[in-house]
């Protein structure tokens, strides 16, 4: 086994919607960024994503198209996996709830909880939201008598069902939340969950008989397991629960479940009670991110403002989309996105600030020193300030990334990039090159520029993996970039004396707004 500290992060497993949207890309990009950072920091990371493929709404959608449910989900899951490839998502496992490994584990868990008396047979009479796969009481409906989450009509449902004694664990779960303030983040989500539990938890209906697209209850196959009971178990399947004790104890409890704020309730209350029934530790953190606001309105199919991430990637490139989402949206808050704002960031931050800094640095190194940079003995009046800011940037970036303050970390790195551009103007290497007596100072300037960009290339790797690799290569570092660690840039001076840089290539072309 590796001696590295394990770190287990998950996204929710996504419902196979016929239309991908930028919200899918945002959540998974955030999780990927955290996973990449943890690898960079020396952790043994297991990053899980996947697809939630059972339930009544899947069966209805497939019937509408005249195909089987598995044909329906196979096609859409392939589109998810292609999007993750385009975005450079570095997941370690992609779980599908239709896979035999998951099917078997769900039945094992259902049987175990039933055998200990925490699942019992009864009859469900009440209100059900098919799009959300959620049960509600009349008191929980919105002012229009609709689902409080999606605000669509609910159905009166009456059928034989099995129930999970969730009420048995209500007090224990509430106490746990109060004793572990970091368990549910941000604080606003935590407060919502406390209020929900304090209203009183009812036992949860965990089987259905009105359709058959699901995992059969092992001892009563005319019932299928409730889709959320099935889906939440996915976090245990790939890490070997009941099958690989060593792997399971290595990665569980999960360090972070990253989910949309609308499903925090499922991941903290239902999942929390299920884990308590199994005698397992709860995840260390469930983090509910916000919604994406498109041009001032919440993104939704009904409004018609759903943004296609594949089209954006094809037009602007994956790293530009990743950068924009991570910089513009503070994790946990709703974030506004627009085409104009995206183009503005590409032109100002990526083309002007980062791209121009790299191009100027490499061009001057080639022009003045045939691409060879040396440490030398020379100094300028501005070197110490740049070195100090670089060290502070690495320190602040590490603290912010550890706290999942991704937007702040991006801004911290870009402040260093801006300062380095200013350093060029302050030192004026084109002037130093005209005076042989200042040759040592010119060497110092070129070295400082390459060293700072080397550090920047490592710091941006979690945000923009392709761009980081391109910068690393253009700077002349041909070693395997996947093996780079944060510790490699902990101290100033990692660029070797006499290092030869590569050739400048444009990172991000400016976008002419008039032509966009």
């Amino acid at each position: 086994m590796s001696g590295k500290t394990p770190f287990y992060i998950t996204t929710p497993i996504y419902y196979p919607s016929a239309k991908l949207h930028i919200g899918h890309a945002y959540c998974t990009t955030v999780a990927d960024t955290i996973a990449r950072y943890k690898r960079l920091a020396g952790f043994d990371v297991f990053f899980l994503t996947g697809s939630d493929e059972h339930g009544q709404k899947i069966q209805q959608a497939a019937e509408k198209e005249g195909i089987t449910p598995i044909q329906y989900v196979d096609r859409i899951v392939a589109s998810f996996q292609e999007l993750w490839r385009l975005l450079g998502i570095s997941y370690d496992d992609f779980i599908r709830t239709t896979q035999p490994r998951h099917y078997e584990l769900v039945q094992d868990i259902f049987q175990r909880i039933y055998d200990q008396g925490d699942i019992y047979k009864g009859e469900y009479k009440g209100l059900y939201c098919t799009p959300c796969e959620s049960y509600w009481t009349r008191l929980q409906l919105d002012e229009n008598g609709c689902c409080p989450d999606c605000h669509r009509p609910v159905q009166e449902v009456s059928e034989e069902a099995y129930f999970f004694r969730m009420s048995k664990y209500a007090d224990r779960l509430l106490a746990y939340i109060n004793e572990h303030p970091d368990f549910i983040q941000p604080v606003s989500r935590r407060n919502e969950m406390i209020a929900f539990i304090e209203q009183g938890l009812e036992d949860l209906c965990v089987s259905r008989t009105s359709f058959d697209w699901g995992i059969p209850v092992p001892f009563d196959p005319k019932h299928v397991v409730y889709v959320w009971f099935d889906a939440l178990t996915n976090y245990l399947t790939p890490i070997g629960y009941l099958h690989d004790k060593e792997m399971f104890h290595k990665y569980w409890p999960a360090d972070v479940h990253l989910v949309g704020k609308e499903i925090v309730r499922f991941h903290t209350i239902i999942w929390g009670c299920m884990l308590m029934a199994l005698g397992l530790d709860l995840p260390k953190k469930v983090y509910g991110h916000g919604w994406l606001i498109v041009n001032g309105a919440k993104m939704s199919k009904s409004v018609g403002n759903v943004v296609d991430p594949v089209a954006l990637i094809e037009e602007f490139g994956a790293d530009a989309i990743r950068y924009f989402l991570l910089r513009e949206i503070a994790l946990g808050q709703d974030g506004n996105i627009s085409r104009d704002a995206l183009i503005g960031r590409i032109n100002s931050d990526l083309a002007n600030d980062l791209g121009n800094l790299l191009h100027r640095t490499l061009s001057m190194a080639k022009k003045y020193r045939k691409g060879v940079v040396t440490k030398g003995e020379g100094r300028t009046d501005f070197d110490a300030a740049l070195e100090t800011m670089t060290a502070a940037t690495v320190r602040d970036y590490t603290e912010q990334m550890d706290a999942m303050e991704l937007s702040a970390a991006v801004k911290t790195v870009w402040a260093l990039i801006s300062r380095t551009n200013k350093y060029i103007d302050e030192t004026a290497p084109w002037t130093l090159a005209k005076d042989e007596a200042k040759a040592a100072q010119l060497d110092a300037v070129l070295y400082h520029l390459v060293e700072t960009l080397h550090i920047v290339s490592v710091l941006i790797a979690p945000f923009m993996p392709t761009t980081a690799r391109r910068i690393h290569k253009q700077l002349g570092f041909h070693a395997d970039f996947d093996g780079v660690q944060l510790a490699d840039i902990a101290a100033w001076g990692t660029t070797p004396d006499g290092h030869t840089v590569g050739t400048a290539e444009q990172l991000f072309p400016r976008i002419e707004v008039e032509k966009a």
Side-chain angles (χ1 to χ4, degrees):
M1 288 180 63
S2 168
K4 297 180 179 179
T5 302
F7 185 85
Y8 182 25
I9 182 169
T10 75
T11 68
I13 52 174
Y14 298 106
Y15 162 67
S17 169
K19 190 173 182 64
L20 293 170
H21 58 73
I22 196 69
H24 297 125
Y26 171 66
C27 181
T28 311
T29 295
V30 169
D32 181 66
T33 298
I34 295 168
R36 286 178 180 274
Y37 166 72
K38 288 296 183 179
R39 294 188 193 107
L40 194 68
F43 285 74
D44 179 356
V45 174
F46 193 90
F47 172 23
L48 176 70
T49 188
S51 54
D52 171 15
E53 301 179 21
H54 290 128
Q56 186 175 11
K57 58 184 176 180
I58 297 286
Q59 184 165 317
Q60 290 175 346
E63 289 170 352
K64 189 175 181 180
E65 292 194 24
I67 57 178
T68 64
I70 193 63
Q71 289 174 322
Y72 178 84
V73 295
D74 278 350
R75 183 187 68 209
I76 298 173
V77 168
S79 70
F80 272 102
Q81 292 174 320
E82 174 61 11
L83 175 58
W84 301 159
R85 186 191 69 79
L86 292 172
L87 277 171
I89 303 301
S90 60
Y91 59 81
D92 295 287
D93 201 332
F94 188 99
I95 179 73
R96 296 184 61 177
T97 58
T98 50
Q99 291 171 334
R101 59 173 176 163
H102 181 71
Y103 186 109
E104 293 165 5
L105 185 65
V106 170
Q107 289 193 319
D108 285 347
I109 287 174
F110 200 99
Q111 184 74 58
R112 281 171 176 252
I113 297 178
Y114 174 79
D115 288 346
Q116 70 189 33
D118 280 344
I119 290 178
Y120 61 92
K121 196 173 194 177
E123 183 177 11
Y124 179 77
K125 290 183 180 179
L127 305 168
Y128 188 72
C129 173
T130 299
C132 291
E133 305 280 12
S134 300
Y135 298 99
W136 300 105
T137 66
R138 291 200 180 277
L139 291 175
Q140 292 170 327
L141 300 181
D142 67 13
E143 63 274 12
N144 298 314
C146 294
C147 171
D149 280 350
C150 72
H151 305 292
R152 284 175 280 195
V154 295
Q155 296 174 303
E156 291 274 3
V157 176
S158 177
E159 59 184 315
E160 180 182 89
Y162 286 92
F163 290 82
F164 168 49
R165 296 186 193 277
M166 201 159 69
S167 58
K168 172 181 173 180
Y169 297 96
D171 291 343
R172 182 176 160 191
L173 179 62
L174 185 60
Y176 183 90
I177 294 171
N178 285 320
E179 292 164 7
H180 297 81
D182 291 335
F183 170 50
I184 305 173
Q185 291 292 317
V187 173
S188 56
R189 304 285 92 78
R190 178 175 177 268
N191 293 338
E192 289 170 6
M193 296 308 106
I194 290 173
F196 190 93
I197 297 171
E198 287 178 340
Q199 291 176 3
L201 284 188
E202 296 184 350
D203 289 348
L204 178 69
C205 179
V206 289
S207 76
R208 301 290 304 275
T209 56
S210 54
F211 63 93
D212 59 8
W213 179 238
I215 298 175
V217 170
F219 49 82
D220 196 347
K222 71 175 181 290
H223 289 253
V224 295
V225 176
Y226 171 47
V227 65
W228 272 106
F229 192 101
D230 161 5
L232 289 164
T233 305
N234 94 89
Y235 302 121
L236 303 179
T237 303
I239 57 170
Y241 180 57
L242 301 182
H243 297 286
D244 187 335
K245 184 180 293 186
E246 184 179 22
M247 184 180 187
F248 180 71
H249 286 296
K250 178 181 180 182
Y251 289 113
W252 192 262
D255 291 272
V256 181
H257 285 330
L258 183 69
V259 301
K261 64 181 180 180
E262 71 280 5
I263 55 174
V264 169
R265 178 170 58 88
F266 298 94
H267 284 80
T268 56
I269 297 177
I270 296 178
W271 185 222
C273 291
M274 288 173 61
L275 290 168
M276 286 178 172
L278 290 168
L280 298 178
D281 291 335
L282 272 61
K284 296 175 187 176
K285 189 186 300 292
V286 177
Y287 203 112
H289 67 75
W291 286 327
L292 298 189
I293 309 299
V294 180
N295 297 318
K298 180 180 178 293
M299 187 173 63
S300 72
K301 295 176 185 177
S302 58
V303 174
N305 63 349
V306 172
V307 177
D308 179 2
V310 175
L312 282 182
I313 292 168
E314 289 174 347
E315 184 173 5
F316 299 110
D319 274 13
I321 304 305
R322 288 176 64 112
Y323 173 80
F324 178 75
L325 292 173
L326 294 167
R327 189 195 190 286
E328 292 296 297
I329 304 168
L331 187 59
Q333 300 177 18
D334 294 345
N336 190 54
I337 62 174
S338 72
R339 183 182 178 83
D340 288 345
L342 170 60
I343 292 173
R345 284 292 170 205
I346 292 172
N347 284 342
S348 65
D349 298 7
L350 303 184
N352 286 1
D353 293 346
L354 178 58
N356 197 33
L357 174 60
L358 178 65
H359 196 274
R360 292 169 81 189
T361 296
L362 296 181
S363 296
M364 289 188 294
K366 291 284 188 182
K367 181 177 180 180
Y368 302 136
R369 292 293 184 264
K370 297 182 179 180
V372 179
V373 294
T374 55
K375 293 184 178 182
E377 300 298 329
R379 297 286 289 178
T380 77
D381 294 338
F382 306 98
D383 295 351
L386 183 61
E387 293 168 13
T388 299
M389 184 172 182
T390 302
T393 297
V394 174
R395 181 191 66 239
D396 293 346
Y397 164 94
T398 302
E399 291 175 357
Q400 290 158 347
M401 291 297 287
D402 284 342
M404 294 174 59
E405 296 171 356
L406 308 189
S407 178
V410 173
K411 292 172 185 175
T412 292
V413 177
W414 249 257
L416 176 61
I417 291 169
S418 297
R419 181 65 187 84
T420 310
N421 273 310
K422 184 181 178 183
Y423 172 81
I424 294 177
D425 297 333
E426 291 170 335
T427 56
W430 48 87
T431 301
L432 297 176
K434 296 176 183 178
D435 188 345
E436 187 61 33
K438 296 182 177 179
Q441 288 183 304
L442 177 60
D443 288 337
V445 170
L446 295 175
Y447 183 87
H448 275 71
L449 292 174
V450 170
E451 172 69 355
T452 304
L453 275 165
H454 179 209
I455 291 169
V456 165
S457 74
V458 176
L459 296 180
I460 69 170
F463 315 135
M464 310 167 69
T466 301
T467 301
R469 189 179 299 274
R470 290 179 65 194
I471 294 172
H472 199 73
K473 182 179 178 181
Q474 289 184 46
L475 289 171
F477 295 98
H478 300 296
D480 179 15
F481 190 69
D482 292 331
V484 171
Q485 296 279 284
L486 200 57
D488 297 338
I489 57 163
W492 179 269
T494 56
T495 300
D497 190 28
H499 176 75
T500 302
V501 301
T503 303
E505 299 174 4
Q506 190 175 47
L507 289 178
F508 295 95
R510 277 188 60 82
I511 299 169
E512 297 300 327
V513 178
E514 294 78 13
K515 297 178 182 179

